[in-house]
Amino acid sequence: MTILLDGKKLSAEIKLEIAAEVKQLIAAGKKVPHLAAVLVGNNGASETYVASKAKNCEEVGFMSSLIRLDEGISETALLGKIDELNSNADIDGFIVQLPLPKHIVVQKIMEAIDPKKDVDGFHPVNAGRLLQNLPCYIPATPYGIMIMLERYKIETAGKHCVIIGRSNIVGMPMSVLMSRNGYPGNCTVTLCHSKTNNLAEVVRSADIVIAALGSPKFVTVDMVKDGAVVIDVGITRIESKDTKSGFKICGDVDFENVAPKCSYISPVPGGVGLMTIVGLLKNTLNAASR
Ligand code: NAP
């Protein structure tokens, strides 16, 4: 029997828990957690992500602010804005929505964020602390996946976990988390990328597959062993005749054919995406509780 890793149900449950914690903070005379988002330009997808983050903040009782900046803002002016947010005591954590315009060096911006307010967990200090298993902000998507594994009580110790994709925001931190000594963790991890040889064979040997490459339906039924746990991180907008907008979201796994073979599988949409929001909210709550 295949169990669906239901991000919709789980994220709703966890948001209720976060909302209860916020009430307790307020009852104890503490401040309301406050997340700010910086949005440069008006990229449609970024607008949607930022609006969703604000809506989720409202749902759990956080304050949220949106700092809208012109597409043509200079790197220096953006760095100035980040300095302001770093020193604004009312803001517990903030994110700079990616992508940024081409004239801005993303790494410079990420490194300018105070690591204590870096609730996206992208600052090298947080990445380094993650590597050494020290308290840090874990990037929201890997954090959300860890919570999902934990809440569904999925066994991980001694399992072979194959991760496809080695980005700094998903695959790489995921590989660190799954290999560390703890639960979820204690896996033997293989981190795959575009230069991996015999990828299908490697994936076939996995007890846990985490697909994060951004290639629709890349993981096919012949690549998955019976009873595997499959987590689909991919989000690609593809054309569709079935929706009003003419587009739909597609994951990296051929869900329809792969699902019957799995012990657990996460759908797209309704899986990891919603858990990513949970990861961000949890990081913000931690920032406010510090
Ligand atoms: P990314 O920075 O583009 O990295 C993609 C990774 O996949 C790279 O390491 C690349 O290898 C590898 N790759 C690409 N094609 C491959 C192939 N044919 N075989 C093996 N490896 C391949 O992507 P990302 O930011 O990690 O995002 C990955 C996907 O997750 C995207 O669809 C993105 O939209 C989605 N995403 C979803 C969430 C969520 O909340 N659900 C959050 C973040 C991202 P190389 O390093 O060799 O180039």
Short mmCIF file of all heavy atoms in Angstrom, two decimals, residues 49 122 140-142 145 163-172 191-196 199 211-216 218 223 232-237 250-252 267-268 271-277, ligand 1:
data_model
loop_
_atom_site.label_atom_id
_atom_site.label_comp_id
_atom_site.label_asym_id
_atom_site.label_seq_id
_atom_site.Cartn_x
_atom_site.Cartn_y
_atom_site.Cartn_z
N TYR A 49 4.97 33.94 -4.64
CA TYR A 49 5.63 33.34 -3.47
C TYR A 49 5.54 34.27 -2.27
O TYR A 49 5.22 33.85 -1.16
CB TYR A 49 7.10 33.03 -3.76
CG TYR A 49 7.31 31.87 -4.71
CD1 TYR A 49 8.26 31.92 -5.72
CD2 TYR A 49 6.56 30.70 -4.58
CE1 TYR A 49 8.46 30.85 -6.59
CE2 TYR A 49 6.76 29.63 -5.45
CZ TYR A 49 7.70 29.71 -6.45
OH TYR A 49 7.88 28.66 -7.30
N PHE A 122 20.43 30.77 4.03
CA PHE A 122 21.33 30.75 2.86
C PHE A 122 22.70 31.36 3.17
O PHE A 122 23.61 31.27 2.36
CB PHE A 122 20.73 31.54 1.68
CG PHE A 122 19.45 30.94 1.12
CD1 PHE A 122 18.63 31.69 0.28
CD2 PHE A 122 19.07 29.63 1.41
CE1 PHE A 122 17.46 31.15 -0.25
CE2 PHE A 122 17.91 29.08 0.89
CZ PHE A 122 17.10 29.84 0.06
N ALA A 140 14.68 26.36 4.19
CA ALA A 140 13.28 26.00 4.43
C ALA A 140 12.83 24.69 3.76
O ALA A 140 12.08 23.91 4.37
CB ALA A 140 12.38 27.15 3.98
N THR A 141 13.28 24.42 2.53
CA THR A 141 12.80 23.21 1.86
C THR A 141 13.35 21.94 2.53
O THR A 141 12.57 21.05 2.89
CB THR A 141 13.13 23.26 0.35
OG1 THR A 141 12.52 24.45 -0.17
CG2 THR A 141 12.60 22.06 -0.39
N PRO A 142 14.69 21.83 2.72
CA PRO A 142 15.18 20.65 3.45
C PRO A 142 14.57 20.53 4.85
O PRO A 142 14.25 19.43 5.30
CB PRO A 142 16.70 20.90 3.53
CG PRO A 142 17.00 21.78 2.37
CD PRO A 142 15.80 22.66 2.20
N ILE A 145 11.18 19.05 4.54
CA ILE A 145 11.24 17.61 4.22
C ILE A 145 11.59 16.81 5.49
O ILE A 145 11.00 15.74 5.73
CB ILE A 145 12.27 17.35 3.10
CG1 ILE A 145 11.81 18.01 1.80
CG2 ILE A 145 12.51 15.85 2.90
CD1 ILE A 145 12.84 17.99 0.67
N ILE A 163 19.85 11.50 -3.50
CA ILE A 163 19.33 12.84 -3.74
C ILE A 163 19.76 13.24 -5.15
O ILE A 163 20.93 13.09 -5.51
CB ILE A 163 19.89 13.82 -2.69
CG1 ILE A 163 19.44 13.38 -1.29
CG2 ILE A 163 19.43 15.25 -2.98
CD1 ILE A 163 20.22 14.00 -0.16
N ILE A 164 18.80 13.72 -5.95
CA ILE A 164 19.16 14.17 -7.31
C ILE A 164 19.10 15.69 -7.31
O ILE A 164 18.03 16.28 -7.11
CB ILE A 164 18.21 13.60 -8.38
CG1 ILE A 164 17.92 12.11 -8.14
CG2 ILE A 164 18.80 13.82 -9.78
CD1 ILE A 164 16.86 11.52 -9.06
N GLY A 165 20.25 16.31 -7.50
CA GLY A 165 20.37 17.78 -7.46
C GLY A 165 21.24 18.18 -6.29
O GLY A 165 21.08 17.65 -5.19
N ARG A 166 22.19 19.13 -6.53
CA ARG A 166 23.14 19.49 -5.47
C ARG A 166 23.17 21.00 -5.22
O ARG A 166 24.21 21.58 -4.93
CB ARG A 166 24.54 19.02 -5.85
CG ARG A 166 25.02 19.57 -7.19
CD ARG A 166 26.43 19.15 -7.53
NE ARG A 166 26.70 19.33 -8.95
CZ ARG A 166 27.82 18.95 -9.55
NH1 ARG A 166 28.78 18.38 -8.86
NH2 ARG A 166 27.98 19.15 -10.84
N SER A 167 21.99 21.65 -5.38
CA SER A 167 21.97 23.10 -5.17
C SER A 167 22.22 23.43 -3.70
O SER A 167 21.99 22.60 -2.82
CB SER A 167 20.62 23.69 -5.61
OG SER A 167 19.62 23.32 -4.67
N ASN A 168 22.64 24.69 -3.46
CA ASN A 168 22.90 25.12 -2.08
C ASN A 168 21.62 25.23 -1.26
O ASN A 168 21.67 25.24 -0.03
CB ASN A 168 23.57 26.50 -2.08
CG ASN A 168 25.02 26.40 -2.50
OD1 ASN A 168 25.61 25.31 -2.46
ND2 ASN A 168 25.59 27.52 -2.90
N ILE A 169 20.48 25.34 -1.96
CA ILE A 169 19.24 25.56 -1.20
C ILE A 169 18.46 24.27 -0.96
O ILE A 169 17.64 24.20 -0.06
CB ILE A 169 18.34 26.65 -1.83
CG1 ILE A 169 17.87 26.26 -3.23
CG2 ILE A 169 19.06 27.98 -1.89
CD1 ILE A 169 16.76 27.18 -3.74
N VAL A 170 18.68 23.24 -1.78
CA VAL A 170 17.93 21.98 -1.58
C VAL A 170 18.87 20.77 -1.44
O VAL A 170 19.07 20.24 -0.35
CB VAL A 170 16.89 21.71 -2.70
CG1 VAL A 170 16.03 20.51 -2.31
CG2 VAL A 170 16.00 22.91 -2.97
N GLY A 171 19.45 20.33 -2.56
CA GLY A 171 20.15 19.05 -2.58
C GLY A 171 21.31 18.96 -1.60
O GLY A 171 21.41 17.98 -0.84
N MET A 172 22.19 19.96 -1.63
CA MET A 172 23.39 19.90 -0.78
C MET A 172 23.02 19.85 0.73
O MET A 172 23.45 18.92 1.43
CB MET A 172 24.30 21.09 -1.11
CG MET A 172 25.61 21.09 -0.42
SD MET A 172 26.64 19.71 -0.95
CE MET A 172 27.28 20.36 -2.49
N LEU A 191 24.75 11.72 -3.44
CA LEU A 191 24.28 13.00 -3.98
C LEU A 191 24.57 13.04 -5.48
O LEU A 191 25.73 13.05 -5.90
CB LEU A 191 24.99 14.14 -3.25
CG LEU A 191 24.59 15.57 -3.63
CD1 LEU A 191 23.10 15.79 -3.42
CD2 LEU A 191 25.37 16.58 -2.79
N CYS A 192 23.51 13.04 -6.29
CA CYS A 192 23.68 12.98 -7.75
C CYS A 192 23.50 14.36 -8.39
O CYS A 192 22.87 15.24 -7.82
CB CYS A 192 22.63 12.05 -8.36
SG CYS A 192 22.71 10.38 -7.72
N HIS A 193 24.07 14.49 -9.58
CA HIS A 193 24.00 15.77 -10.31
C HIS A 193 24.09 15.46 -11.79
O HIS A 193 24.06 14.28 -12.20
CB HIS A 193 25.13 16.69 -9.84
CG HIS A 193 26.42 15.98 -9.69
ND1 HIS A 193 27.19 15.63 -10.77
CD2 HIS A 193 27.03 15.48 -8.58
CE1 HIS A 193 28.24 14.98 -10.34
NE2 HIS A 193 28.17 14.85 -9.02
N SER A 194 24.23 16.50 -12.59
CA SER A 194 24.16 16.29 -14.05
C SER A 194 25.34 15.49 -14.60
O SER A 194 25.29 15.03 -15.74
CB SER A 194 24.06 17.64 -14.77
OG SER A 194 25.23 18.38 -14.57
N LYS A 195 26.40 15.33 -13.81
CA LYS A 195 27.56 14.57 -14.32
C LYS A 195 27.58 13.14 -13.75
O LYS A 195 28.54 12.41 -13.97
CB LYS A 195 28.88 15.26 -13.93
CG LYS A 195 28.95 16.75 -14.23
CD LYS A 195 29.08 17.01 -15.73
CE LYS A 195 29.30 18.48 -16.03
NZ LYS A 195 28.21 19.37 -15.64
N THR A 196 26.56 12.75 -13.01
CA THR A 196 26.53 11.40 -12.43
C THR A 196 26.39 10.35 -13.53
O THR A 196 25.51 10.47 -14.39
CB THR A 196 25.35 11.29 -11.43
OG1 THR A 196 25.55 12.24 -10.39
CG2 THR A 196 25.22 9.90 -10.84
N LEU A 199 22.91 7.14 -13.64
CA LEU A 199 21.99 7.71 -12.65
C LEU A 199 20.80 6.79 -12.34
O LEU A 199 20.46 6.56 -11.18
CB LEU A 199 21.49 9.08 -13.14
CG LEU A 199 20.57 9.80 -12.17
CD1 LEU A 199 21.34 10.40 -11.01
CD2 LEU A 199 19.81 10.91 -12.88
N ALA A 211 14.05 13.89 -5.19
CA ALA A 211 14.28 14.42 -6.53
C ALA A 211 14.16 15.94 -6.50
O ALA A 211 13.09 16.48 -6.22
CB ALA A 211 13.26 13.82 -7.50
N ALA A 212 15.29 16.62 -6.76
CA ALA A 212 15.32 18.09 -6.72
C ALA A 212 16.19 18.60 -7.85
O ALA A 212 17.25 19.17 -7.62
CB ALA A 212 15.84 18.56 -5.36
N LEU A 213 15.74 18.36 -9.08
CA LEU A 213 16.55 18.80 -10.22
C LEU A 213 15.83 19.77 -11.13
O LEU A 213 16.46 20.50 -11.88
CB LEU A 213 17.09 17.59 -11.02
CG LEU A 213 16.12 16.70 -11.79
CD1 LEU A 213 16.87 15.99 -12.89
CD2 LEU A 213 15.45 15.70 -10.88
N GLY A 214 14.48 19.80 -11.06
CA GLY A 214 13.73 20.73 -11.89
C GLY A 214 13.54 20.24 -13.31
O GLY A 214 13.60 21.02 -14.25
N SER A 215 13.29 18.93 -13.44
CA SER A 215 13.04 18.34 -14.77
C SER A 215 11.76 17.50 -14.69
O SER A 215 11.76 16.43 -14.06
CB SER A 215 14.26 17.50 -15.16
OG SER A 215 14.06 16.91 -16.40
N PRO A 216 10.66 17.97 -15.30
CA PRO A 216 9.36 17.31 -15.12
C PRO A 216 9.38 15.82 -15.43
O PRO A 216 9.90 15.41 -16.47
CB PRO A 216 8.44 18.06 -16.10
CG PRO A 216 9.11 19.35 -16.35
CD PRO A 216 10.59 19.13 -16.19
N PHE A 218 11.06 13.38 -14.47
CA PHE A 218 12.38 12.79 -14.74
C PHE A 218 12.49 11.38 -14.14
O PHE A 218 13.04 10.47 -14.74
CB PHE A 218 13.45 13.71 -14.15
CG PHE A 218 14.85 13.25 -14.35
CD1 PHE A 218 15.56 13.59 -15.50
CD2 PHE A 218 15.49 12.45 -13.41
CE1 PHE A 218 16.87 13.16 -15.69
CE2 PHE A 218 16.78 12.01 -13.59
CZ PHE A 218 17.48 12.37 -14.73
N MET A 223 13.04 3.43 -12.59
CA MET A 223 14.19 3.91 -11.81
C MET A 223 13.98 3.72 -10.30
O MET A 223 14.86 4.07 -9.51
CB MET A 223 14.42 5.41 -12.06
CG MET A 223 14.91 5.74 -13.45
SD MET A 223 14.79 7.50 -13.82
CE MET A 223 16.12 8.18 -12.88
N ASP A 232 9.31 14.33 -3.83
CA ASP A 232 9.42 15.13 -5.06
C ASP A 232 9.47 16.61 -4.71
O ASP A 232 8.51 17.19 -4.19
CB ASP A 232 8.19 14.82 -5.94
CG ASP A 232 8.32 15.38 -7.34
OD1 ASP A 232 9.27 16.14 -7.59
OD2 ASP A 232 7.46 15.04 -8.19
N VAL A 233 10.61 17.22 -5.00
CA VAL A 233 10.80 18.64 -4.68
C VAL A 233 10.51 19.52 -5.90
O VAL A 233 10.16 20.69 -5.78
CB VAL A 233 12.25 18.89 -4.20
CG1 VAL A 233 12.45 20.34 -3.78
CG2 VAL A 233 12.62 17.96 -3.05
N GLY A 234 10.61 18.94 -7.08
CA GLY A 234 10.54 19.73 -8.32
C GLY A 234 9.27 20.54 -8.47
O GLY A 234 8.17 20.11 -8.09
N ILE A 235 9.45 21.73 -9.00
CA ILE A 235 8.30 22.57 -9.36
C ILE A 235 8.61 23.17 -10.72
O ILE A 235 9.50 24.02 -10.84
CB ILE A 235 8.11 23.75 -8.36
CG1 ILE A 235 7.80 23.25 -6.96
CG2 ILE A 235 7.00 24.68 -8.85
CD1 ILE A 235 7.57 24.37 -5.95
N THR A 236 7.93 22.70 -11.75
CA THR A 236 8.11 23.29 -13.07
C THR A 236 6.72 23.62 -13.62
O THR A 236 5.80 22.83 -13.49
CB THR A 236 8.83 22.32 -14.03
OG1 THR A 236 10.04 21.86 -13.41
CG2 THR A 236 9.19 22.99 -15.35
N ARG A 237 6.61 24.85 -14.16
CA ARG A 237 5.33 25.27 -14.74
C ARG A 237 5.30 24.77 -16.18
O ARG A 237 6.17 25.09 -16.98
CB ARG A 237 5.28 26.80 -14.73
CG ARG A 237 3.98 27.38 -14.22
CD ARG A 237 4.17 28.83 -13.92
NE ARG A 237 4.23 29.62 -15.14
CZ ARG A 237 3.30 30.48 -15.52
NH1 ARG A 237 2.22 30.66 -14.78
NH2 ARG A 237 3.43 31.18 -16.62
N CYS A 250 4.32 20.90 -12.36
CA CYS A 250 4.70 19.50 -12.52
C CYS A 250 5.94 19.19 -11.68
O CYS A 250 6.88 20.01 -11.61
CB CYS A 250 4.97 19.24 -13.99
SG CYS A 250 5.24 17.51 -14.35
N GLY A 251 5.95 18.05 -11.03
CA GLY A 251 7.09 17.64 -10.21
C GLY A 251 8.15 16.93 -11.03
O GLY A 251 8.01 16.75 -12.25
N ASP A 252 9.21 16.48 -10.35
CA ASP A 252 10.32 15.77 -11.00
C ASP A 252 10.06 14.27 -11.11
O ASP A 252 10.90 13.53 -11.62
CB ASP A 252 11.62 15.99 -10.20
CG ASP A 252 12.18 17.39 -10.39
OD1 ASP A 252 11.74 18.09 -11.32
OD2 ASP A 252 13.07 17.78 -9.59
N PRO A 267 3.18 14.22 -3.32
CA PRO A 267 2.65 14.71 -4.60
C PRO A 267 3.14 16.12 -4.93
O PRO A 267 3.64 16.82 -4.05
CB PRO A 267 1.14 14.73 -4.35
CG PRO A 267 1.03 15.06 -2.89
CD PRO A 267 2.24 14.45 -2.21
N VAL A 268 2.98 16.53 -6.17
CA VAL A 268 3.20 17.93 -6.58
C VAL A 268 2.01 18.33 -7.44
O VAL A 268 1.74 17.65 -8.43
CB VAL A 268 4.50 18.09 -7.41
CG1 VAL A 268 4.65 19.53 -7.92
CG2 VAL A 268 5.73 17.70 -6.59
N GLY A 271 2.65 18.79 -1.72
CA GLY A 271 3.66 18.04 -0.96
C GLY A 271 4.68 18.96 -0.34
O GLY A 271 4.38 19.73 0.58
N VAL A 272 5.91 18.90 -0.88
CA VAL A 272 7.05 19.61 -0.30
C VAL A 272 6.88 21.14 -0.31
O VAL A 272 7.32 21.83 0.61
CB VAL A 272 8.35 19.20 -1.04
CG1 VAL A 272 9.52 20.06 -0.64
CG2 VAL A 272 8.66 17.73 -0.78
N GLY A 273 6.22 21.67 -1.34
CA GLY A 273 6.05 23.13 -1.44
C GLY A 273 5.42 23.71 -0.18
O GLY A 273 5.87 24.72 0.36
N LEU A 274 4.38 23.03 0.31
CA LEU A 274 3.67 23.53 1.50
C LEU A 274 4.52 23.34 2.75
O LEU A 274 4.45 24.12 3.70
CB LEU A 274 2.32 22.82 1.64
CG LEU A 274 1.37 23.09 0.47
CD1 LEU A 274 0.20 22.13 0.48
CD2 LEU A 274 0.88 24.53 0.52
N MET A 275 5.36 22.30 2.74
CA MET A 275 6.25 22.07 3.89
C MET A 275 7.38 23.10 3.93
O MET A 275 7.93 23.40 4.99
CB MET A 275 6.83 20.65 3.84
CG MET A 275 5.80 19.55 3.99
SD MET A 275 4.75 19.75 5.43
CE MET A 275 5.94 19.58 6.75
N THR A 276 7.72 23.64 2.76
CA THR A 276 8.75 24.69 2.69
C THR A 276 8.28 25.92 3.48
O THR A 276 9.05 26.54 4.22
CB THR A 276 9.04 25.05 1.22
OG1 THR A 276 9.61 23.90 0.60
CG2 THR A 276 9.99 26.20 1.08
N ILE A 277 7.02 26.25 3.32
CA ILE A 277 6.45 27.39 4.06
C ILE A 277 6.54 27.11 5.56
O ILE A 277 6.91 27.98 6.36
CB ILE A 277 4.96 27.60 3.65
CG1 ILE A 277 4.86 28.04 2.20
CG2 ILE A 277 4.27 28.57 4.59
CD1 ILE A 277 5.07 29.53 1.96
P1 NAP B 1 19.06 24.17 -9.35
O1 NAP B 1 19.81 25.16 -8.54
O2 NAP B 1 18.72 24.45 -10.76
O3 NAP B 1 19.86 22.79 -9.28
C1 NAP B 1 19.46 21.68 -10.04
C2 NAP B 1 20.36 20.53 -9.69
O4 NAP B 1 19.90 19.40 -10.43
C3 NAP B 1 21.83 20.76 -10.09
O5 NAP B 1 22.68 20.25 -9.09
C4 NAP B 1 21.99 19.96 -11.38
O6 NAP B 1 23.27 19.38 -11.55
C5 NAP B 1 20.99 18.83 -11.16
N1 NAP B 1 20.51 18.31 -12.43
C6 NAP B 1 19.94 18.99 -13.44
N2 NAP B 1 19.62 18.16 -14.45
C7 NAP B 1 20.02 16.93 -14.06
C8 NAP B 1 19.98 15.65 -14.67
N3 NAP B 1 19.45 15.46 -15.88
N4 NAP B 1 20.46 14.60 -13.98
C9 NAP B 1 20.97 14.76 -12.74
N5 NAP B 1 21.03 15.96 -12.10
C10 NAP B 1 20.57 17.02 -12.77
O7 NAP B 1 17.68 23.78 -8.68
P2 NAP B 1 17.05 23.95 -7.21
O8 NAP B 1 16.96 25.38 -6.89
O9 NAP B 1 17.69 23.00 -6.26
O10 NAP B 1 15.58 23.42 -7.52
C11 NAP B 1 15.33 22.13 -8.03
C12 NAP B 1 13.85 21.98 -8.28
O11 NAP B 1 13.18 22.11 -7.04
C13 NAP B 1 13.24 23.07 -9.18
O12 NAP B 1 12.17 22.49 -9.90
C14 NAP B 1 12.71 24.08 -8.20
O13 NAP B 1 11.64 24.84 -8.73
C15 NAP B 1 12.24 23.17 -7.11
N6 NAP B 1 12.16 23.79 -5.77
C16 NAP B 1 11.06 23.52 -5.08
C17 NAP B 1 10.94 24.02 -3.80
C18 NAP B 1 9.70 23.69 -3.03
O14 NAP B 1 9.40 24.36 -2.08
N7 NAP B 1 8.99 22.61 -3.39
C19 NAP B 1 11.94 24.80 -3.25
C20 NAP B 1 13.09 25.02 -3.99
C21 NAP B 1 13.20 24.50 -5.27
P3 NAP B 1 24.61 20.27 -11.76
O15 NAP B 1 24.96 20.80 -10.39
O16 NAP B 1 25.62 19.32 -12.27
O17 NAP B 1 24.25 21.37 -12.72
#
